[in-house]
């Protein structure tokens, strides 16, 4: 039958879960309606603003352009995972310290992108930061503060791992 | 938390602290609440079927195809709405906008019918099955053409009469002019006749969008005894009043709850999705969510495009002795707040200059386009674009240094502004000087050689705040001494919650971090006119201060009542314990603030146009690629008079963010319109600034100033850094390559065409 | 989006068998970013999608032959090209292009085969691949065939692929001392789609241009080779005089369309300027990614 | 959007006018037109199917001949509604025929507006499609006359 629901299994924020999804459901819808996770949110609907960013097998992906069924077997991390222990992740803390947001709607996307960037490149220069985050939009335009936050997060992450 | 109190129990000064936003943790962890993401049990999703003609009579709407889609709960048109809301027209200035089109459609994208379904995909699919037939009518899109009244958008205009500053609006027929504001000071005609030189230029601005990343969203839950509306709204009090009026209910049966806003910028003011959601919930007897897509934002509200003609007479000493401004505001199909844009910006249309003879005519016009409303500046950025370009053009024509020419003509404190209101606490010259200093203005520019040329430019501006408006706040101290603030100012990213908490903390001598701000809920939070026009810090700031001061006096009275010695510093909790024998009781302070205001007379003159003046400017350094017309802003300087900043860090981010938003409006943002249809209604084709568009050097500065009548010397910030950006860049382009652009945006093609025209090799229009 | 059926075959052959050439509402989905956009906009409402995800790994990967030819599986995500040492060594222009191609998230998901089959004229990779002389290996009901990328793209969203043909591999020939450059010219924000894309690959013997391939995109309805401009360039030393001729010929040769990003006459001037800049950049290309 | 151009046909003006004002022949020159029905002498309905790669758009179209001035000018108004997606296509077309030494030059100008979803997002691709259709129209028209005129061709 056309468009019927199916069960997928995935690892979500470190825990094995299963979800009932229909082929036309995207990842954001699945996270919101089945798991009550609203940190990834659809804004432009075209993969251009980054508000729907999730990490799939460690790589950032636009949740609004990814069919939920494609997450079968994947390891998915959302913004909620970063502070699950009650303590902010160094990237989140850096965003707070640098005032790297205003309305906050785009912030989870920027935080996850930064997380992925620093994993790939622990010591990015400003141009590398800009290149990596160029696909995320902030209408409040907190860009200068975001760059500061990424720099600070890089320092803190390094300090954390070496000492 | 960094909140600390000294050993003596004193928290110290809270005002002036660069405190992090109070809600920072929620926002970085993805847990801050936004209407677009909210869900209620039993909720239905509404999807909108929109008009495909710019102006037309509705002949028929066939919804049968939509009703047949499995999973559709209901399909409604204005016929259904009229059954539950007999007079379904709303608007802050005119009651002109229907919940769903009644009889006629007035722009492409206007809501005509709605499909409700539990599954939003089903509702969306079903809207595509609706077929409407229209009898097309002639449409008008251009504001100057609309002013000729050859094609009428509305047969009759009905003023709303809601806001104190818009009481003068009149009902009219046979016109597209919703409001004309007229100001006459001195005798311009005589002054022009006497002038040594007269300059006249015409400028245009384009249609641009707020483009909040959280699109418009409201959820209404209608019950027989009341309605609760969750909404991304900048003005919950107005929404309550207006929904109550539509329902013919007392206000206390209408409850508006506002979580955080994913951006507002003026778009989420007045009624947006609230009335539609309410009507749908009434019809469906279920909670209904109207949450728009990014595309639909293009059919909701925009900034005003404008045509601005400005003429100045200069005497032999280089003084501006006369200025005449004519402004046509393209308000789109419904007035929204256009009349206020027209009037309030009209006050300062002649700029921050001391000119004895001024004539201003400002027209709010209806056209068959998406309605226009407030967008970060209430029309001021459009005006500054014109008058600061014009001023620069005159200086260059007179072979005067643009800075010196401005300084010679600058309006100074103690002198009457165009309206006749005396300028006070407006650091215009200081702002201008600081921009010039930072640009190292005294040193000549190295314009460069070859295909990259450099230039610099600056601009400075003045704005009157919207007046008269009212704010009310409540401060509530609980039995343990912890304190809660109830205020209707909506924090949409500008950091108002944090600033208000700092004011409470300052008055009550407690760490701002310890003050809880109650989420906006009209059942709980008292009246506020709206979070708009950079008014909140001043108006609500005062109301909060007054509320906290009243609570403080009550605390002092309690101390006296309990026999505490003078200067006692016993903790609040101890006072309550002593008074009530347990942790109990409250001390409640309230504050209401409404500044004085004198409405303009028939000549547009008043001795009290505004409780405070807003002053800001920008300076830029740019590079122009003369082979392609590409302009790169290499340095962007924003300087503002914010009085004494309550939270310097947040002020800086506000200046920076506002200027970058305006950078987009200056350089490339534009809604392309063909036959009334917006042809780039997506983020793929309507581009906003991203990481790579940020100038490599950005500087933001607040000058040393104090607003004498402001709360702790402060005044509003949100719009300031939008003012000067566009003309500063156009002035810099002229400086770099000697061409003058008079229309926004300053695209590479526009610059290239101007360069080719200057070289007498105009580029074809193909 | 309208509900649809999804099938996930386990092999390339099975996928081709599932395609129904007479039913355009059945479509193969690779990375899916482009197709999702069409479906979300409501302009494409498929009855069934055939996902290649289950066997993506067998069709992805980048190898270099001993001669230096790159062979890239159709399901290879763009990000793999960006980080591949093979690509970095043999076609560094691709790595340079990736930095500003769409964004990180799209590059993580979009595949090279899917991107080519989508045939949006604004994409950055097609002109680069054309300039590099790349071809695609196509498998379908009628067997295998090889199509040069310049012939694969036939119009706006249109390709030479038969309805039951799929791209299996992309081949980029050995560089043979080639130098390449790609210029992306935007007229909106920096991350906008280009108003003009221009890719150049040159082989130079000493100071003389031995061979040249020039491809234009974005301003045209498909990524297109500018063969007359190439001819004008070959045999010269890419001196100012020659480059002026090349610019004029390119501007004359390209069939340029107006859109929201610029008028045709302006984009023609951009082409005139950027074909020169791209040739100069290629002459100076160091081979570093 | 505006589409304008000219086609030179090696046939006398009267013959060209005759052909162009014959709705079935005219429609046969446009790619994707089917189910042409004459409602009366000046009103027609048809279905226009446009394909762009794997995307298909079906428009139900009404054509009204708004001005017929033999042998010089034909004016028409077209209104189309896409099926299954909210939108509207309106176009006003003016065709002028000019004699040029035994040949006839057809000047055409079409002012078209596409509204709704296709108008808000699909303009560039549909503009490119329109160019294709224009080319196709010219080819078919010229082929018909080269074969001895529309009457002979059919």
């Amino acid at each position: 039958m056309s468009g019927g629901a199916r069960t997928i299994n995935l690892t979500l924020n470190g825990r094995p879960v299963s979800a009932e999804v229909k082929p036309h459901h995207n990842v954001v819808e699945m996270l919101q309606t089945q798991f009550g996770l609203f940190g990834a949110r659809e804004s432009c609907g075209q993969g251009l603003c980054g508000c729907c960013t999730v990490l799939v097998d460690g790589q950032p992906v636009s949740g609004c352009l990814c069919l939920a069924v494609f997450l079968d077997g994947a390891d998915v991390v959302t913004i909620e995972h970063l502070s699950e222990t009650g303590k902010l992740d160094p990237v989140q803390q850096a965003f707070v310290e640098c005032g790297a947001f205003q309305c906050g709607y785009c912030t989870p996307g920027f935080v996850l992108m930064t997380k992925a960037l620093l994993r790939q490149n622990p010591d990015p220069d400003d141009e590398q930061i800009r290149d990596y985050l160029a696909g995320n939009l902030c209408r409040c335009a907190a860009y200068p503060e975001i760059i500061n936050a990424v720099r600070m997060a890089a320092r803190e992450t390094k300090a954390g791992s070496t000492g | 938390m960094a909140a600390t109190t000294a050993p003596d129990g004193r928290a110290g000064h809270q005002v002036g602290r660069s405190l992090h936003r109070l809600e920072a943790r929620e926002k970085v962890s993805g847990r801050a609440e936004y209407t677009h993401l909210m869900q209620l049990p039993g909720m239905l999703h509404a999807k909108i079927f929109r008009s495909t003609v710019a102006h037309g009579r509705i002949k028929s709407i066939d919804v049968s195809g939509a009703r047949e889609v499995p999973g559709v709960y209901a399909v409604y048109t204005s016929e259904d709405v009229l059954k539950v809301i007999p007079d379904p027209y709303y608007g802050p200035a005119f009651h002109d906008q229907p919940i769903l089109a009644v009889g006629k459609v007035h722009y492409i994208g206007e809501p005509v019918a709605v499909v409700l379904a539990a599954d939003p995909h089903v509702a969306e699919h079903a809207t595509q099955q609706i077929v409407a037939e229209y009898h097309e009518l002639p449409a008008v899109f251009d504001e100057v053409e609309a002013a000729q009244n050859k094609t009428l958008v509305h047969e009759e205009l009905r003023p709303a009469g809601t806001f104190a500053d818009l009481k003068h609006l009149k009902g009219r027929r046979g016109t597209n002019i919703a409001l004309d504001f007229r100001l006459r000071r001195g005798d311009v005609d005589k002054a022009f006749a006497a002038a040594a030189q007269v300059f006249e230029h015409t400028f245009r601005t384009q249609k641009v969008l707020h483009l909040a990343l959280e699109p418009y969203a409201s959820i209404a839950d209608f019950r027989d005894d009341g309605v609760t509306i969750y909404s991304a709204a900048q003005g919950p009090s107005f929404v309550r009043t207006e929904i109550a009026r539509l329902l013919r209910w007392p206000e206390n049966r209408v409850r508006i709850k506002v979580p955080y806003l994913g951006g507002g910028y003026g778009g989420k003011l007045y009624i947006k999705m609230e009335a539609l959601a309410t009507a749908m919930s009434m019809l469906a007897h279920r909670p209904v969510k109207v949450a728009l897509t990014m595309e639909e934002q293009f059919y909701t509200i925009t900034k005003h495009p404008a045509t601005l003609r400005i003429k100045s007479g200069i005497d032999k000493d280089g003084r501006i002795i006369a200025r005449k401004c004519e402004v046509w505001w393209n308000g789109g199909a419904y007035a929204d707040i256009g009349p206020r844009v027209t009037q309030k910006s009209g006050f300062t249309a002649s700029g921050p200059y001391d000119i004895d003879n001024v004539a201003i005519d400002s027209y709010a016009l209806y056209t068959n386009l998406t309605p226009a409303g407030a967008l970060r500046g209430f029309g001021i950025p459009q005006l500054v674009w014109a008058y600061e370009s014009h001023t620069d053009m005159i200086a260059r024509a007179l072979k005067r240094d643009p800075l010196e020419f401005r300084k010679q003509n600058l309006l100074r404190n103690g002198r009457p502004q165009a309206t006749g209101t005396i300028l006070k606490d407006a650091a215009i010259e200081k702002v201008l000087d600081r921009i010039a200093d930072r640009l190292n203005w005294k040193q000549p520019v190295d314009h460069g050689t070859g295909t990259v040329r450099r230039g610099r430019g600056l601009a400075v501006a003045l704005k009157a705040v919207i007046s008269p408006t009212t704010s009310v706040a409540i401060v509530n101290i609980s039995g343990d001494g912890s304190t809660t603030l109830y205020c209707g100012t909506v924090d949409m990213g500008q950091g108002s919650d944090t600033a208000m908490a700092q004011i409470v903390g300052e008055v009550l001598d407690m760490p701002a971090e310890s003050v809880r701000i109650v989420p906006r809920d009209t059942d709980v939070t008292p009246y506020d006119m709206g979070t708009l026009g950079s008014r909140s810090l001043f108006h609500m700031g005062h109301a909060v201060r007054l509320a906290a001061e009243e609570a403080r006096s009550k605390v002092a009275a309690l101390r006296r009542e309990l026999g505490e010695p003078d200067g006692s510093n016993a903790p609040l909790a101890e006072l309550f314990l002593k008074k009530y024998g347990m942790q109990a009781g409250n001390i409640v302070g309230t504050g209401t603030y409404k500044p004085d205001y004198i409405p303009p007379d028939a000549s547009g003159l008043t001795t009290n146009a505004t409780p405070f003046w807003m002053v800001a400017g920008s300076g830029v350094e740019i590079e122009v690629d003369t082979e392609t017309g590409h302009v790169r802003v290499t340095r962007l300087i924003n300087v503002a008079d914010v009085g004494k900043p309550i939270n310097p860090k947040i002020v800086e981010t506000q200046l920076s963010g506002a200027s970058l938003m305006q950078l987009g409006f200056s350089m490339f943002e534009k809604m392309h319109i063909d036959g009334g249809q917006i042809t780039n209604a997506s983020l793929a084709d309507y581009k906003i600034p991203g990481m790579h568009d940020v100038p490599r050097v950005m500087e933001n500065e607040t000058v040393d100033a104090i607003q004498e009548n402001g709360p702790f010397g402060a005044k509003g910030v949100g719009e300031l850094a939008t003012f000067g950006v566009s003309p500063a860049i156009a002035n810099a382009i002229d400086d770099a390559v000697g061409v003058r652009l008079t229309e926004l945006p300053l695209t590479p093609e526009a610059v290239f065409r101007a360069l080719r025209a200057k070289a007498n090799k105009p580029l074809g229009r193909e | 989006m309208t509900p649809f059926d999804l099938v996930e075959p386990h092999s390339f052959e099975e996928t081709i068998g599932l395609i129904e050439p007479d039913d355009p509402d059945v479509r193969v989905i690779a990375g899916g970013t482009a197709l999702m956009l069409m479906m979300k906009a409501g302009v494409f409402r498929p009855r069934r999608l055939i996902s290649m995800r289950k066997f993506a790994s067998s069709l992805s990967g980048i190898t270099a032959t001993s001669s230096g030819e790159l062979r890239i599986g159709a399901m290879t995500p763009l990000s793999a090209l960006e980080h591949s040492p093979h690509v970095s060594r043999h076609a560094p222009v691709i790595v340079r292009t990736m930095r500003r191609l769409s964004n990180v998230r799209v590059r993580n998901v979009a595949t090279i085969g899917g991107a080519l089959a989508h045939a949006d004229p604004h994409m950055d990779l097609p002109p680069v691949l054309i300039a590099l002389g790349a071809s695609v290996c196509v498998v379908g009901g009628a067997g295998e065939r090889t199509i040069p990328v310049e012939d694969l793209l036939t119009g706006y969203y249109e390709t030479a692929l038969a309805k039951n043909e799929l791209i299996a591999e992309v081949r980029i020939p050995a560089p043979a001392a080639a130098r390449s450059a790609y210029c992306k010219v935007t007229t909106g924000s920096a991350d906008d789609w280009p108003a003009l894309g221009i890719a150049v690959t040159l082989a130079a013997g000493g100071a003389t241009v031995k061979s040249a391939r020039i491809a234009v995109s974005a301003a045209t309805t498909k990524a297109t080779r500018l063969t007359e401009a190439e001819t004008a360039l070959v045999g010269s030393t890419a001196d100012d005089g020659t480059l002026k001729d090349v610019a004029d010929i390119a501007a004359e040769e390209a069939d340029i369309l107006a859109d929201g990003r610029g008028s045709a006459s302006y984009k023609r001037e951009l082409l005139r300027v950027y074909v020169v800049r791209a040739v100069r950049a290629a002459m100076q290309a160091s081979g570093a990614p | 959007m505006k589409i304008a151009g000219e086609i030179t046909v090696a046939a006398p003006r009267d013959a060209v006018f005759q052909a162009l004002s014959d709705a079935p022949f005219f429609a046969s020159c446009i790619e994707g037109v089917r189910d042409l029905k004459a409602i009366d002498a000046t009103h027609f309905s048809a279905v226009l199917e446009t394909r762009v790669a794997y995307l298909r758009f079906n428009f139900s179209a009404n054509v009204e001949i708004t001005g017929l001035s033999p042998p010089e000018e034909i004016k028409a108004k077209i209104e189309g509604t896409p099926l299954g997606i909210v939108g509207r296509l309106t176009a006003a077309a003016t065709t002028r025929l000019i004699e040029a030494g035994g040949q006839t030059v057809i000047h055409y100008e079409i002012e078209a507006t596409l509204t709704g979803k296709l108008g808000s997002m699909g303009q560039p691709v549909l503009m490119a499609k329109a160019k294709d259709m224009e080319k196709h129209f010219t080819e078919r028209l010229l082929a018909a006359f080269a074969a001895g005129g529309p009457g002979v061709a059919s």
Side-chain angles (χ1 to χ4, degrees), chain C residues 5 9 12 53 90 123 144 184 192 195 200 207 217 220 257 284:
Chain C
D5 194 17
F12 205 65
R53 189 180 67 97
H90 299 292
M123 296 194 303
E144 260 188 63
K184 174 178 192 157
D192 192 5
V200 172
S217 61
T220 48
L257 278 186
Q284 285 157 18

Side-chain angles (χ1 to χ4, degrees), chain B residues 290-370:
Chain B
V290 185
L292 299 192
T293 61
M294 183 58 78
E295 181 193 4
E296 288 179 292
Q297 299 210 86
F298 289 79
Y299 302 121
T300 304
I301 195 85
T302 73
K303 190 169 175 162
H304 280 78
T307 299
L308 313 101
R309 190 189 298 155
I310 179 164
K311 180 176 167 185
S312 296
I314 315 294
D315 73 8
K316 60 178 180 11
D317 301 323
R319 281 202 60 86
I320 308 170
I321 55 171
R323 183 164 278 187
K324 186 174 187 326
C325 309
E326 290 168 284
V327 190
W328 294 266
W329 301 97
N330 191 329
Y334 299 108
D336 198 81
I337 202 62
R340 179 179 285 152
V341 170
T342 303
Q343 184 197 12
K344 287 296 141 75
S345 62
F347 283 170
T348 56
S350 55
Y353 300 105
D354 196 340
I355 308 171
D356 288 334
N357 304 286
V358 177
I360 294 165
D361 287 290
S362 183
Y363 307 96
L365 291 150
Y366 284 108
T367 59
N368 294 107
L369 294 174
T370 301

Side-chain angles (χ1 to χ4, degrees), chain D residues 12-144:
Chain D
R13 183 161 72 165
D14 284 337
V16 175
F17 186 88
Q18 190 98 42
L20 291 180
S21 51
D22 174 36
F25 170 73
F26 188 88
S28 75
C29 293
I30 303 171
E31 195 183 357
V33 173
R34 55 183 165 82
D35 300 343
L36 180 80
K37 288 191 191 84
I39 296 160
D40 58 36
T42 55
H43 292 81
F44 303 90
S45 73
V47 173
L48 172 66
E49 181 176 312
T50 305
R51 280 168 182 270
V52 178
Y54 58 96
L55 311 173
R56 279 179 312 169
F57 305 105
N58 285 317
F59 289 86
S60 122
N62 288 303
V63 182
E64 183 190 349
I65 307 295
T66 51
L68 209 57
S69 322
E72 284 164 355
E73 191 179 82
I74 306 168
K75 285 187 166 188
K77 216 173 86 183
I78 301 118
E79 274 187 25
T81 311
L83 305 176
I85 185 163
V86 176
R88 183 178 166 98
L89 171 71
T90 48
T94 302
T95 308
R96 260 184 288 274
L97 307 183
I98 293 159
E99 284 188 313
Q103 297 194 323
T104 305
V105 180
I106 307 169
H107 283 274
Y108 58 88
E109 215 176 275
I110 305 164
E111 185 67 55
T113 304
L114 187 59
T115 68
K117 198 82 184 184
L118 298 179
S120 73
M121 299 172 126
Q123 298 257 3
V125 61
L126 289 168
M127 193 69 199
K129 185 70 200 177
K131 286 242 173 198
D132 277 356
M133 289 174 71
E134 211 180 331
K135 212 183 290 169
H136 191 258
F137 180 87
T138 307
E139 280 165 18
R140 284 203 191 174
L141 186 75
L142 293 179

Side-chain angles (χ1 to χ4, degrees), chain C residues 266-289:
Chain C
Y266 175 63
K267 287 195 228 174
R268 195 165 291 120
E269 296 308 311
L270 283 181
L271 173 58
R272 219 186 282 279
V273 172
Y274 271 94
V275 74
V276 173
R277 292 185 184 181
V279 169
R280 288 201 174 121
M283 293 295 282
Q284 285 157 18
S286 64

